Amino acid sequence: SKTVDFTVDWYGTVASSITATTQSYQIADAIDEENQTFTANFNVTIQETKQELLLSRLFVEGTIPEQNGYAPTEVKLTGSTDNFNYDETTRQFTIQREATIDENGVVTTSIARSNTYKLQVKYPLEAYESMGTEEISIKIPVKGYYEGYNNPNEEFNNPYKSNTASATIVINYRKPAESQTDFSIT
């Protein structure tokens, strides 16, 4: 009988992607005549695709565009407690989430491999009305990445940073088409 001790190392990589880049809504749901606002709601979905490491950090950044020369009056993250910041001068938002580790190095609060963030952007109603159209498209460039816990040995990157995924989220607001009946004669 012989006992042999093996040193076991863990290591891996992390990869990011942004999905659901085209979203469509009815324009009537965005207009608030009483408060004179046009409210655009959209989702940012970022995924970690390799599934090899426990995740240590998530970072998402985007820029909210002006609409017909009007800057947004309010930008907020809804339905999430992650760290959210919005800079009115650059119109950039950031979302960050970090895993927590106890004193023994065990991850106690982890980060999901797929995260969807719901954002709400308010513009003055004039931004829509001055366009004189029944549909509006808002293009929001977004980028993000994950970091994962890797082996603490010198030969590995720890934390391992993924690629920076980037996409343009297109939000379309349209007036609903009038209903019609289709039929066929056989």
Side-chain angles (χ1 to χ4, degrees):
S1 165
K2 185 175 182 181
T3 302
V4 178
D5 292 328
F6 288 103
T7 302
V8 179
D9 284 344
W10 74 92
Y11 58 92
T13 58
V14 182
S16 302
S17 70
I18 295 176
T19 60
T21 56
T22 303
Q23 301 165 31
S24 297
Y25 303 97
Q26 290 188 12
I27 205 156
D29 297 336
I31 295 173
D32 183 355
E33 294 279 348
E34 183 179 324
N35 295 316
Q36 291 294 297
T37 59
F38 179 88
T39 305
N41 293 297
F42 67 97
N43 297 328
V44 177
T45 301
I46 184 167
Q47 297 179 333
E48 193 284 313
T49 57
K50 289 273 190 163
Q51 301 185 12
E52 294 177 0
L53 298 176
L54 293 175
L55 301 175
S56 64
R57 184 169 183 253
L58 162 66
F59 180 82
V60 177
E61 178 182 78
T63 304
I64 305 296
E66 290 184 343
Q67 282 302 312
N68 206 24
Y70 291 89
T73 58
E74 180 183 11
V75 177
K76 64 181 181 178
L77 178 66
T78 62
S80 176
T81 57
D82 289 354
N83 186 6
F84 177 77
N85 290 310
Y86 176 69
D87 184 349
E88 290 182 13
T89 57
T90 62
R91 296 185 321 277
Q92 286 189 330
F93 67 87
T94 59
I95 304 168
Q96 296 184 58
R97 176 186 276 178
E98 293 192 27
T100 54
I101 304 172
D102 67 11
E103 62 278 351
N104 298 322
V106 176
V107 177
T108 57
T109 305
S110 62
I111 298 174
R113 297 205 182 276
S114 179
N115 294 277
T116 299
Y117 294 102
K118 298 177 183 196
L119 283 96
Q120 184 178 77
V121 180
K122 289 189 180 185
Y123 290 99
L125 189 57
E126 295 87 27
Y128 165 70
E129 289 177 339
S130 63
M131 295 175 84
T133 181
E134 293 184 348
E135 64 181 67
I136 186 171
S137 271
I138 303 171
K139 296 178 181 173
I140 302 168
V142 177
K143 60 185 175 181
Y145 63 86
Y146 284 93
E147 290 179 1
Y149 293 110
N150 219 340
N151 190 313
N153 291 343
E154 298 172 359
E155 67 218 66
F156 301 109
N157 292 333
N158 193 29
Y160 184 91
K161 183 179 174 183
S162 75
N163 62 306
T164 300
S166 62
T168 300
I169 297 176
V170 180
I171 313 161
N172 295 310
Y173 280 91
R174 292 188 175 102
K175 185 176 179 181
E178 295 184 22
S179 61
Q180 59 186 24
T181 303
D182 293 330
F183 64 93
S184 126
I185 300 172
T186 304

